[in-house]
Amino acid sequence: MTIQSPVFTKINESFTCKNCNYLVPLSSSTCRDHCPKCLFSIHVDNNPGDRAAECLGLLKPVAWSQHKKKGYMIHYKCLVCGLEKRNKFLEIDSNMPDDFSALLKLSAITKV
Ligand SMILES: [Zn+2]
Ligand SMILES: [Zn+2]
């Protein structure tokens, strides 16, 4: 039994943000899974990149933190199922890096 997703079925393809309608371009370096403008993402993965989740709820960015090796991380909460997850903030990208001011509008998590 599978539920087909009308959008967001391929990895690293441009897509339209479900939150702000921005047409998100490809990333030059990685599999982009969130909007560089508003940082919203979609709950499509059970494990990173597998696109196996059937939820497809909006992942709302709620906070950020700094990871020793990975750099800035965005903390998400799914508005449908409540799942919490983290994604790497895309700081450097030749096509379209994430909006740093949008990240800073979220609350900072300073504990490690
Ligand atoms: Zn957006
Ligand atoms: Zn979800």
Side-chain angles (χ1 to χ4, degrees), residues 15-24 34-41:
F15 61 97
T16 303
C17 175
K18 283 190 178 179
N19 180 58
C20 71
N21 287 322
Y22 179 71
L23 181 61
V24 180
H34 56 270
C35 175
K37 292 268 185 201
C38 68
L39 306 180
F40 270 70
S41 185

Side-chain angles (χ1 to χ4, degrees), residues 40-92:
F40 270 70
S41 185
I42 304 286
H43 183 190
V44 289
D45 296 342
N46 287 330
N47 296 302
D50 67 3
R51 297 299 188 262
E54 294 178 348
C55 173
L56 306 182
L58 264 182
L59 285 174
K60 185 183 184 215
V62 289
W64 64 272
S65 64
Q66 229 178 336
H67 189 282
K68 273 193 184 122
K69 287 186 181 143
K70 294 181 187 171
Y72 293 103
M73 303 296 293
I74 312 168
H75 295 240
Y76 287 101
K77 184 157 192 174
C78 179
L79 294 180
V80 173
C81 72
L83 174 103
E84 293 183 26
K85 64 176 289 187
R86 284 181 297 174
N87 268 335
K88 194 179 173 324
F89 179 77
L90 197 55
E91 208 175 343
I92 299 162

